[in-house]
Amino acid sequence: MSQPPVTRSIPLSEEHRWRAYWVCVAVAALTILDLSKVNVGLPSIEDAFDATSTELQLIVAGYVLTFGLTLVPAGRIGDQRSRKTLFVVGLSLFTLTSLVAALAPNATVLLVARLLQGVAAGIQMPQVLGIIQELFHGKERGKAFGLFGATIGLATAFGPTLGGLMIAIGGPTDGWRGIFWINVPLALIAIALAIWLLPVTRRPSDKPLSLDPVGLLLFGVTVVALMWPFLLTTGSPDDDPARWWVLVVFVLALTAFVAWERRYAASGRHPLVPLGLFGVSSFRNGISLASVYFAAMPSMFLLTTLYLQHGLGLEAVFAGMVGIGFALLSALSSWIGGNLVNRLGRPLVVWGLVLLLVGIGLLVLAALATPPAMTPWAMAGAMVIGGAGGGLVVSPNQTLTLMDIPVKQGGLAGSVGQLGQRIGTAIGTAVTLSLFYSTIYRESEGQPDLAVYHDAYGVGMLAVAVFVAIAFAIGVADLGARRRERRPLGEPPTEADDA
């Protein structure tokens, strides 16, 4: 029987450790739910505020963007100070911003609330990962991340169903407000449980914080510059072609960011993104794969719910239910993958991506080739196959990504990983929604029929498939690198490996 880990401050009993774990997982699920359940509310928000496609994209992508930008500074503060305190602060802000979003009188207030809600999520998520990383070791960590991945998979896929249910209860005009109202009691319960059950796992450091504000600013400019042209792409003849010149700003900002981070690290301080972590091949490949994967998956759910609601006229609650099969199968396969990853390693992730690509292909085929009355059922079946593959990607890849990272850097490394995922989601959402809405505008001039929605969905899902294919290529490359190294799974790389 494994012994409970001894933290830097207190020994934890087995029971206490798992109670803390489930509080962390529940809060992570709550923040991810707010990413996916808002998707199904976009048509209602559009009708309520006469919102533009750019505003709708920002309501989704803005949350993810501020989520991502907050992760690394919050992870570093949690590593050096108190993860429990940051956890409660993030949850409290999340509760307040959910209340503001639920009461928003216009699209501008809703957008600001979503941006601040993303900051709140970014404060609490790295504390979740840091605590899990510290509580579990070896094979147990794989199992813990397996359950974590299963819960996140359920939250991602059940989010649209929950959002649709809130709209059904509250009505088509104000039902979207229930999507945010439901956060308030859930977050208050989570705050009480966190104060009661979360242990103090680290003694605060007496060293001054080094948060690299210049690096954070440059990184923010880099990401926004990459997203900006897509956010302003509507397909209208009024779209300004000059918006693509912003990509020049992206290249310059990225170059400046990398140069600054290297200089900042050379001065002995702690940069926003510790580039040295990317010298560990398992971490580098795992982060890259997860970033591209998360550019695809939330976009897949978003495009599917928009197609079902706008194209087929399906009610929000039923559009959300199409993803239930994905949720159940991804939870099951995530748990299985968490238990098998220490034995099978990267091939498990590669085969998961193959299954996911098959599911995406069947999803598009169902949308284009089946009678409208049968389409939701056919798409639900395709989601089952995609879910079986998706569950084999998230939690095994999380374990493989962090397995060679020292525990003391767990919060920071986990934050960098989450940063990649959130930025990937923000960029993927901006790209796929711009393709979807611009196709509708270009082909219909404001009066789309089902054929137009077929084209819009197909074009958007093609981008999703490209993202997953890139993730597959990264997985195959990592598999080949491991075989060339012939290094046992979980054994830290040597200096020669990193060179």
Side-chain angles (χ1 to χ4, degrees), residues 16-287:
H16 194 171
R17 180 172 57 156
W18 281 101
R19 284 201 305 250
Y21 171 80
W22 284 113
V23 171
C24 290
V25 170
V27 170
L30 182 63
T31 59
I32 298 301
L33 265 176
D34 224 66
L35 170 63
S36 63
K37 74 178 190 287
V38 173
N39 294 348
V40 78
L42 290 182
S44 296
I45 294 170
E46 181 180 7
D47 293 338
F49 295 139
D50 194 25
T52 66
S53 63
T54 298
E55 287 174 326
L56 294 175
Q57 291 182 63
L58 283 170
I59 286 170
V60 176
Y63 171 80
V64 186
L65 177 61
T66 53
F67 188 164
L69 292 178
T70 311
L71 279 165
V72 174
R76 178 167 293 124
I77 295 172
D79 282 347
Q80 297 183 43
R81 296 298 187 260
S82 169
R83 288 175 180 153
K84 180 176 180 177
T85 300
L86 267 288
F87 192 93
V88 174
V89 168
L91 263 175
S92 301
L93 181 59
F94 189 83
T95 307
L96 178 61
T97 52
S98 295
L99 184 61
V100 174
L103 297 172
N106 53 55
T108 301
V109 173
L110 178 59
L111 177 57
V112 172
R114 286 289 285 168
L115 293 173
L116 293 175
Q117 200 176 33
V119 172
I123 292 172
Q124 63 201 29
M125 183 63 85
Q127 319 316 323
V128 168
L129 295 169
I131 291 171
I132 294 175
Q133 181 85 342
E134 193 162 17
L135 292 180
F136 299 95
H137 304 273
K139 292 183 178 180
E140 277 197 318
R141 185 178 293 168
K143 293 178 181 179
F145 277 123
L147 288 171
F148 178 82
T151 306
I152 296 303
L154 284 170
T156 301
F158 268 113
T161 304
L162 180 60
L165 182 61
M166 294 298 100
I167 292 172
I169 293 172
T173 302
D174 288 322
W176 63 269
R177 297 183 186 275
I179 293 173
F180 301 105
W181 274 120
I182 195 173
N183 289 344
V184 177
L186 293 176
L188 289 174
I189 293 170
I191 290 171
L193 290 174
I195 293 172
W196 181 30
L197 296 176
L198 283 190
V200 178
T201 57
R202 298 178 66 83
R203 296 189 188 281
S205 170
D206 56 0
K207 296 180 180 179
L209 288 172
S210 176
L211 298 180
D212 189 11
V214 174
L216 181 62
L217 176 63
L218 288 173
F219 188 80
V221 171
T222 300
V223 176
V224 171
L226 178 58
M227 293 172 57
W228 194 258
F230 298 99
L231 291 172
L232 297 181
T233 298
T234 66
S236 165
D238 297 330
D239 285 353
D240 187 355
R243 70 190 185 280
W244 297 107
W245 283 103
V246 178
L247 293 178
V248 175
V249 178
F250 159 70
V251 174
L252 294 175
L254 178 61
T255 303
F257 171 72
V258 173
W260 172 264
E261 294 297 275
R262 287 175 175 168
R263 178 181 176 184
Y264 200 77
S267 69
R269 292 173 289 180
H270 299 288
L272 175 72
V273 177
L275 300 179
L277 283 175
F278 291 89
V280 181
S281 61
S282 58
F283 182 81
R284 179 178 64 248
N285 293 330
I287 292 293

Side-chain angles (χ1 to χ4, degrees), residues 307-348:
Y307 171 76
L308 290 169
Q309 288 181 264
H310 284 310
L312 299 185
L314 210 60
E315 292 184 20
V317 64
F318 298 119
M321 290 174 67
V322 167
I324 288 178
F326 189 103
L328 296 176
L329 263 293
S330 66
L332 176 62
S333 61
S334 184
W335 179 76
I336 293 172
N339 286 301
L340 294 178
V341 64
N342 286 292
R343 190 166 77 229
L344 299 180
R346 183 59 73 188
L348 193 64

Side-chain angles (χ1 to χ4, degrees), residues 275-291 346 397 400-402 404-405 416 474 477-478 481 485 497-499:
L275 300 179
L277 283 175
F278 291 89
V280 181
S281 61
S282 58
F283 182 81
R284 179 178 64 248
N285 293 330
I287 292 293
S288 302
L289 189 151
S291 300
R346 183 59 73 188
N397 186 67
L400 292 167
T401 301
L402 296 178
D404 296 328
I405 301 298
V416 173
I474 294 170
D478 184 63
E485 291 173 3
D497 291 331
D498 290 339

